[in-house]
C-alpha cells in the first residue's frame, strides 16, 4: 500500500510540474501576443517607427524635432566651411550634400537620450552631410526598439545604436579625436546632470542642443531647488520664461568655463511646456574672462514687478587701443533698499545670462532654408520671425496686463503703448514668449511715466488706490513730461502685418510633458489627465468635508 501511495504522489508531482511549465509557456505566449498588439506605428517626417507602451514618445515635440533638423542643417554647412577656412584650403563649398547619404567629413552626432530612436532616424533621413549618429539610451527595451526601427528605416549605415549611461558615454568621448560635432540633450526634467560630460565631449565650435522641461523650478515656484540644479535663484516674475532660458544658459556657461570653454547662443526658445537652447561651444581661456560681463543678478520689485540688472563684471576699454580690455568689478547695489517707483522691497535672483540669447544672422539663415515639407513649418516661420524682431541686447520684458493690473487702469491696445514708447525715442519689441510682452530699452521710470499719462486719460477708481499700495505710490508722482499715444508707423511689427502665426495655442487637449517612461500615444495620458482634472477642488468641496 505504501508503494502505491508513493507512486500516486510521484505521478501527481509530475503532473504538477508539467502544469507549471504549461502555465508559464501560456503566459509567455500571451505576453508576446500582447506586446505585438501593443506595438504602435508612428510616422513623423520621413521616419516611421514602431513603439511599445513603455517607451516615451511625445507628439507635441514634433515642433522641437523639426526645428532641430533645420538648425543642424544650417550648422552643418557653416561648420564645414569653417573647417576649410581653418585648414587654409582654397576649396570652396561646392559639394551639394544629400540627406540619407554617409559623408566621411560629415557631422558626428550624438543623441544621448534616444528612447524610440525617432529623432536620430529623422536626423539621418533629413539632415544633409551626416557621417554618423549615435542613438543612445539606458533602457534595454528602448535600445531593442531603436535597433528594430533603424532596420525598418534602412539607416544602418548612418545610425549606430548604443546601450549606455549617457554621462559615461560622453566622458568616454572627451578626447579631441573622439569628440562629437553635435550633441542633443533632450531629457525628462532637468538637463544639468549631463552638462559636465557634454561640454567635454563636444568639439571646438560644436553645436550643443539642450532641453529643460522642469519649468516649475525654472519659473520661480521653487527657487531653492533651482539653485541646487542650475546654480541660480529663479524668480516668479512675468518674464519668468525668458529668465528660465537665461538661467539655463548661465548654467551651461558655468560648466564650460571650468574647462576653458565658453558658449555662443544661436537660438533660445520657450515653447509649450519646455525651453530649448542651441549654443555653440568654443575653447579659449582668454575669452572665458568675458563671462562675468555676460552674467547679472536681477533685482525684482515685489510691488510693481519692476526689475533691475546688476552685472557680475564690467569691461573697460582703452581709449587709444580698443583691443585692450580691463576686467573690473562693478560697484553696487544697483537699487536702493526700497523700490524707487512704489516703495516696496526687492527680491534678488540669478545670476542669469544677460548677453544676447539669439544670433540674428543664424535665425535669418534658418528662415531662408527651412524645408517647406516640415509639418510645423508655419509655426517655425511664425516663432522665428518674432525672434528676429526681438531686441537682442535687452534682457527680460514687462507685460501690459501686469502693468495695467498694478495701476487698476483700463488696458489699452498693445499698439498704443508701443507707439508711446517709440514716440518717446526708445526701441520696443515683442518677445516670442508672451503675446502681451513689452521688451524695451526705455528706463523703467519712463515706462511708469507713460502709464501715468495713460491713467490721466483713463482714470483709475479712487476706491482701489489704497494707501501704501503700488498703484497709489506710482500714481502719486507726476510724469516728467507728456507722452504721445499717436500711432507710430513702426508700432505694428512686420510679423503681424504678414499674418504669421506668432503666438501658439495649446497644441493638444491635456497636453504637457507626460510621465517618465510612459508613451504619449493612445488614451493612457489623456485618461489620466481627465481623472486628475479638478482633483484639488473636489477634495476641498463641502461634500468631501461632510464625508470625512
Amino acid at each position: 500500500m505504501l508503494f502505491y501511495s508513493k507512486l500516486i504522489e510521484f505521478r501527481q508531482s509530475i503532473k504538477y510540474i508539467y502544469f507549471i511549465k504549461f502555465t508559464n509557456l501560456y503566459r509567455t505566449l500571451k505576453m508576446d501576443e500582447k506586446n505585438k498588439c501593443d506595438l504602435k506605428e508612428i510616422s513623423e517626417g520621413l521616419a516611421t517607427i514602431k513603439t511599445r507602451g513603455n517607451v516615451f514618445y511625445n507628439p507635441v515635440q514634433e515642433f522641437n524635432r523639426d526645428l532641430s533638423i533645420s538648425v543642424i542643417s544650417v550648422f552643418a554647412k557653416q561648420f564645414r566651411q569653417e573647417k576649410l577656412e581653418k585648414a587654409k584650403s582654397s576649396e570652396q563649398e561646392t559639394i551639394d550634400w544629400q540627406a540619407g547619404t554617409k559623408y566621411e567629413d560629415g557631422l558626428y552626432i550624438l543623441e544621448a537620450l534616444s528612447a524610440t530612436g525617432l529623432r536620430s532616424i529623422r536626423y539621418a533621413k533629413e539632415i544633409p552631410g551626416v557621417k554618423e549618429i549615435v542613438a543612445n539610451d539606458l533602457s534595454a527595451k528602448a535600445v531593442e526598439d531603436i535597433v528594430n526601427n533603424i532596420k525598418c528605416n534602412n539607416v544602418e549605415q548612418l545610425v549606430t545604436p548604443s546601450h549606455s549611461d549617457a554621462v559615461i558615454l560622453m566622458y568616454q568621448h572627451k578626447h579631441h579625436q573622439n569628440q562629437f560635432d553635435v550633441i542633443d540633450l533632450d531629457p525628462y526634467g532637468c538637463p544639468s546632470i549631463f552638462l559636465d560630460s557634454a561640454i567635454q565631449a563636444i568639439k571646438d565650435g560644436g553645436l550643443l542642443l539642450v532641453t529643460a522641461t522642469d519649468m516649475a523650478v525654472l519659473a520661480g515656484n521653487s527657487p531653492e531647488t533651482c539653485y541646487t540644479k542650475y546654480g541660480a535663484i529663479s524668480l516668479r516674475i512675468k518674464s519668468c520664461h525668458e529668465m528660465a532660458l537665461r538661467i539655463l544658459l548661465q548654467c551651461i556657461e558655468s560648466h564650460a568655463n571650468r574647462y576653458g570653454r565658453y558658449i555662443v547662443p544661436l537660438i533660445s526658445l520657450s515653447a509649450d511646456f519646455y525651453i530649448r537652447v542651441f549654443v555653440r561651444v568654443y575653447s579659449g581661456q582668454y575669452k572665458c574672462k568675458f563671462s562675468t560681463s555676460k552674467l547679472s543678478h536681477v533685482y525684482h520689485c515685489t510691488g510693481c514687478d519692476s526689475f533691475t540688472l546688476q552685472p557680475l563684471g564690467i569691461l573697460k576699454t582703452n581709449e587709444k587701443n580698443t583691443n585692450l580690455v580691463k576686467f573690473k568689478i562693478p560697484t553696487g547695489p544697483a537699487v536702493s533698499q526700497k523700490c524707487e517707483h512704489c516703495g516696496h522691497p526687492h527680491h534678488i535672483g540669478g545670476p542669469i545670462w544677460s548677453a544676447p540669447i539669439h544670433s540674428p544672422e543664424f535665425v535669418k539663415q534658418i528662415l531662408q532654408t527651412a524645408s517647406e515639407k516640415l509639418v510645423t513649418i508655419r509655426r517655425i516661420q511664425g516663432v522665428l520671425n518674432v525672434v528676429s524682431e526681438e531686441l537682442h541686447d535687452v534682457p527680460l520684458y514687462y507685460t501690459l496686463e501686469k502693468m495695467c493690473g498694478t495701476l487698476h487702469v483700463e488696458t489699452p491696445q498693445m499698439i498704443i503703448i508701443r507707439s508711446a514708447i517709440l514716440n518717446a525715442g526708445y526701441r520696443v519689441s515683442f518677445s516670442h514668449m508672451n503675446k502681451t510682452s513689452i521688451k524695451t530699452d526705455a528706463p523703467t521710470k519712463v515706462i511708469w511715466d507713460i502709464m501715468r499719462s495713460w491713467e490721466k486719460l483713463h482714470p483709475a477708481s479712487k476706491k482701489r488706490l489704497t494707501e501704501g499700495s503700488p498703484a497709489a505710490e506710482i500714481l502719486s508722482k507726476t510724469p516728467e513730461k507728456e507722452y504721445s499715444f499717436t500711432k507710430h508707423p513702426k508700432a505694428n511689427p512686420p510679423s503681424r502685418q504678414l499674418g504669421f502665426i506668432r503666438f501658439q495655442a495649446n497644441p493638444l487637449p491635456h497636453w504637457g510633458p507626460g510621465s517618465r517612461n510612459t508613451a504619449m500615444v493612445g488614451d493612457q495620458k489623456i485618461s489620466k489627465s481627465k481623472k486628475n482634472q479638478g482633483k484639488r477642488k473636489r477634495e476641498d468641496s463641502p461634500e468631501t468635508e461632510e464625508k470625512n
Side-chain angles (χ1 to χ4, degrees):
M1 290 293 292
L2 181 62
F3 173 75
Y4 285 111
S5 64
K6 292 291 185 182
L7 182 61
I8 292 169
E9 288 178 8
F10 178 70
R11 291 177 64 183
Q12 287 176 342
S13 64
I14 292 176
K15 288 180 180 179
Y16 179 73
I17 292 170
Y18 278 103
F19 173 75
I20 294 297
K21 288 184 177 180
F22 175 78
T23 304
N24 290 337
L25 179 61
Y26 177 78
R27 287 176 178 172
T28 303
L29 292 172
K30 290 296 288 183
M31 286 299 294
D32 290 342
E33 186 179 346
K34 183 178 184 298
N35 287 337
K36 288 179 182 179
C37 294
D38 284 347
L39 283 175
K40 298 182 184 295
E41 189 172 279
I42 300 165
S43 294
E44 185 181 294
L46 298 181
T48 300
I49 64 167
K50 292 181 180 180
T51 180
R52 289 171 289 189
N54 61 340
V55 177
F56 189 86
Y57 169 74
N58 192 342
V60 173
Q61 294 238 37
E62 184 173 3
F63 168 72
N64 181 321
R65 290 182 279 269
D66 284 354
L67 180 62
S68 299
I69 288 167
S70 302
V71 170
I72 298 173
S73 298
V74 172
F75 167 76
K77 294 180 180 179
Q78 285 189 354
F79 198 56
R80 173 172 169 77
Q81 194 60 44
E82 288 170 6
K83 285 199 294 186
L84 291 174
E85 291 173 0
K86 192 174 181 179
K88 297 181 180 179
S89 171
S90 59
E91 180 186 354
Q92 295 297 316
E93 179 61 83
T94 56
I95 300 174
D96 185 17
W97 274 344
Q98 300 295 321
T101 303
K102 185 180 179 73
Y103 295 90
E104 288 303 323
D105 59 342
L107 295 180
Y108 186 27
I109 303 173
L110 168 66
E111 187 193 0
L113 308 155
S114 194
T116 61
L118 171 63
R119 187 184 295 260
S120 291
I121 292 168
R122 288 199 62 192
Y123 284 0
K125 288 194 159 191
E126 299 178 48
I127 296 176
V130 171
K131 176 184 177 182
E132 182 184 356
I133 301 168
V134 178
N136 177 73
D137 204 278
L138 185 60
S139 166
K141 291 183 179 179
V143 176
E144 286 179 19
D145 281 351
I146 292 171
V147 172
N148 293 331
N149 289 327
I150 289 172
K151 291 179 180 177
C152 290
N153 286 272
N154 299 315
V155 289
E156 297 98 321
Q157 79 282 8
L158 287 173
V159 184
T160 304
S162 169
H163 180 209
S164 178
D165 182 294
V167 174
I168 295 174
L169 177 64
M170 288 187 284
Y171 278 135
Q172 290 172 342
H173 284 76
K174 67 180 184 179
H175 192 275
H176 67 90
Q177 291 182 344
N178 298 324
Q179 289 175 326
F180 297 99
D181 299 310
V182 180
I183 296 179
D184 193 334
L185 298 174
D186 193 357
Y188 180 92
C190 176
S192 61
I193 61 172
F194 304 103
L195 294 179
D196 187 82
S197 54
I199 285 295
Q200 297 182 69
I202 198 164
K203 285 184 181 176
D204 186 19
L207 178 66
L208 179 61
L209 302 80
V210 184
T211 301
T213 63
D214 54 338
M215 292 305 296
V217 172
L218 285 164
N221 287 357
S222 185
E224 67 284 352
T225 304
C226 186
Y227 181 79
T228 62
K229 291 185 175 183
Y230 295 94
I233 298 293
S234 56
L235 297 174
R236 295 188 69 176
I237 59 177
K238 281 298 180 179
S239 55
C240 60
H241 290 93
E242 182 173 331
M243 189 165 182
L245 279 169
R246 294 180 179 277
I247 286 174
L248 177 57
L249 288 171
Q250 75 79 29
C251 185
I252 301 173
E253 176 80 348
S254 174
H255 282 86
N257 288 166
R258 296 168 197 171
Y259 302 100
R261 314 193 87 177
Y262 62 97
I263 66 169
V264 176
L266 300 179
I267 303 176
S268 306
L269 293 181
S270 173
D272 300 328
F273 52 84
Y274 62 90
I275 56 175
R276 176 85 158 162
V277 297
F278 304 81
V279 303
R280 294 192 68 174
V281 181
Y282 294 96
S283 299
Q285 289 283 358
Y286 177 71
K287 288 285 188 178
C288 291
K289 294 184 178 183
F290 289 82
S291 292
T292 55
S293 63
K294 301 174 186 176
L295 305 173
S296 299
H297 284 291
V298 180
Y299 289 88
H300 169 240
C301 175
T302 58
C304 65
D305 209 46
S306 300
F307 57 84
T308 305
L309 270 64
Q310 170 79 58
L312 270 64
I314 54 175
L315 307 176
K316 294 286 186 180
T317 55
N318 190 305
E319 294 181 359
K320 296 181 180 180
N321 187 354
T322 55
N323 292 325
L324 293 177
V325 177
K326 288 187 176 181
F327 304 94
K328 299 287 187 179
I329 298 175
T331 57
V335 297
S336 57
Q337 191 171 5
K338 296 291 181 70
C339 174
E340 63 175 305
H341 309 291
C342 70
H344 282 63
H346 293 91
H347 282 155
I348 306 174
I352 67 168
W353 177 271
S354 50
I357 61 175
H358 311 294
S359 166
E361 297 79 13
F362 194 85
V363 173
K364 184 178 179 181
Q365 287 186 51
I366 295 174
L367 285 170
Q368 292 173 345
T369 60
S371 172
E372 289 288 337
K373 296 179 181 179
L374 297 172
V375 172
T376 63
I377 183 62
R378 297 291 169 257
R379 184 178 182 185
I380 290 173
Q381 291 173 340
V383 171
L384 293 190
N385 270 280
V386 178
V387 165
S388 66
E389 295 168 355
E390 287 183 14
L391 297 178
H392 301 292
D393 57 343
V394 178
L396 307 181
Y397 55 85
Y398 301 96
T399 59
L400 182 58
E401 76 277 5
K402 176 61 179 177
M403 291 192 299
C404 294
T406 298
L407 299 183
H408 308 297
V409 297
E410 177 185 332
T411 304
Q413 292 181 353
M414 178 60 75
I415 201 166
I416 292 176
I417 294 298
R418 286 170 60 91
S419 294
I421 295 171
L422 290 167
N423 290 332
Y426 298 99
R427 296 177 297 153
V428 64
S429 76
F430 282 101
S431 166
H432 73 276
M433 305 172 213
N434 193 306
K435 62 182 178 182
T436 63
S437 55
I438 299 173
K439 185 181 278 287
T440 178
D441 61 348
T444 306
K445 188 179 185 304
V446 172
I447 297 298
W448 285 123
D449 272 355
I450 290 173
M451 295 306 298
R452 291 186 189 102
S453 298
W454 174 257
E455 193 273 339
K456 282 186 176 182
L457 300 174
H458 302 82
S461 172
K462 300 302 179 184
K463 295 179 181 179
R464 308 190 71 178
L465 303 180
T466 57
E467 185 178 353
S469 67
E473 292 294 327
I474 292 171
L475 293 176
S476 65
K477 301 171 185 176
T478 305
E480 287 188 355
K481 66 175 186 178
E482 292 298 321
Y483 290 87
S484 170
F485 294 96
T486 305
K487 186 175 179 180
H488 193 280
K490 294 183 179 180
N492 192 12
S495 60
R496 184 171 181 268
Q497 295 178 31
L498 295 172
F500 286 112
I501 305 173
R502 302 180 301 151
F503 304 103
Q504 308 297 316
N506 291 349
L508 292 171
H510 314 287
W511 68 286
S515 304
R516 192 190 301 270
N517 294 331
T518 299
M520 296 285 290
V521 290
D523 299 328
Q524 185 175 356
K525 168 73 168 88
I526 294 177
S527 60
K528 185 177 179 181
S529 298
K530 286 182 178 179
K531 178 182 175 182
N532 290 334
Q533 277 188 345
K535 183 177 179 181
R536 290 183 180 179
K537 290 183 180 180
R538 293 197 301 271
E539 289 175 349
D540 297 336
S541 66
E543 294 178 3
T544 308
E545 291 178 5
E546 288 177 7
K547 290 179 182 179
N548 295 334

